[in-house]
Amino acid sequence: MVKTLGWLTAAALAAGLVMAFGVAPREVTQGNVQRIMYVHVPLILASYVAFVVLAVASLVYLVRRDPAADGVAHASGEVGVMFVGLGIATGSIWGKPTWGTWWTWDARLTSVAILFVMYLGYLLLRGTIDDPERAARYCAVLGIVAALDIPLVHFSVYWWRTLHQPPSLMKPGGFTGSSSILWPLLVNLLAFILLYVYFVARRARLLRAQAEAIA
Amino acid sequence: MPDHWSFVAAAYGLTAAVLLIYWRRLATKEREVEASKRLNAERSREPSITGHPRSEPASRTPLQQNQRPGAPLP
């Protein structure tokens, strides 16, 4: 099952690359550097998915005390931190030639940096508590509280004046650009969500196996 | 505006490298856990030095679980 998902993800990622470099046109104002969007936006949106799943799984853990829910939350947090970190890095690389700077403390960038640090703290908290039950309980609470930053990140571009452009996909009225840009973006988004599911499935399975080996 | 292909390559290259490293790390840890499980299963099957069969890990008392292999019984 996980192996099939892995092959499906690999095929989707390959299709995403073909769409980003072979199908999507050269953007008129930014030139080819705009192709970074096809990796940057899916990474950030997939990290939103990861943190929402983490919050839901944490809630399930607090209600039912089910170790499987904690495993999903842990795995989702790890993959989410990796995705948001990559999203920040690719955004910074895109920002240098287009904005003229690697980083600026505007509302979107600052709120996403806070999101990254909070979930990094979530993973560190797991590592510092020896008792697995207590670590799961504390992290579940932190995972739910940290999820409150997701709407702040998303709507920051509307609530404050920022250098960052408004959302491309998740905005009122939907995507307004050309379909030749929309489809490559959607294929890459699907590919990164599949990659997220694949990584979480494998990581959760590994956490279960590690717990069984210790018991 | 110039194309800045080097920035495109850096963004895609960094993403590919990090994802690949994470994927390999998962595979390595999976192999380690499998090896550790196999070793535990083999240890539980081999006879103890006293000639008595070793009990299954789940049926051992907490004292037996903490005991080092080969150490004299208290």
Side-chain angles (χ1 to χ4, degrees), chain A residues 53 63 112 127 129 166 176:
Chain A
V53 168
V63 174
V112 84
I129 302 173
T176 48

Side-chain angles (χ1 to χ4, degrees), chain B residues 29-58:
Chain B
K29 285 202 166 192
E30 278 170 355
R31 276 197 299 272
E32 280 173 6
V33 171
E34 277 306 308
S36 154
K37 271 184 172 178
R38 267 200 308 275
L39 196 69
N40 283 346
E42 280 168 19
R43 275 186 184 161
S44 67
R45 271 199 302 271
E46 70 189 23
S48 69
I49 49 171
T50 57
H52 293 289
R54 290 169 69 92
S55 56
E56 285 299 313

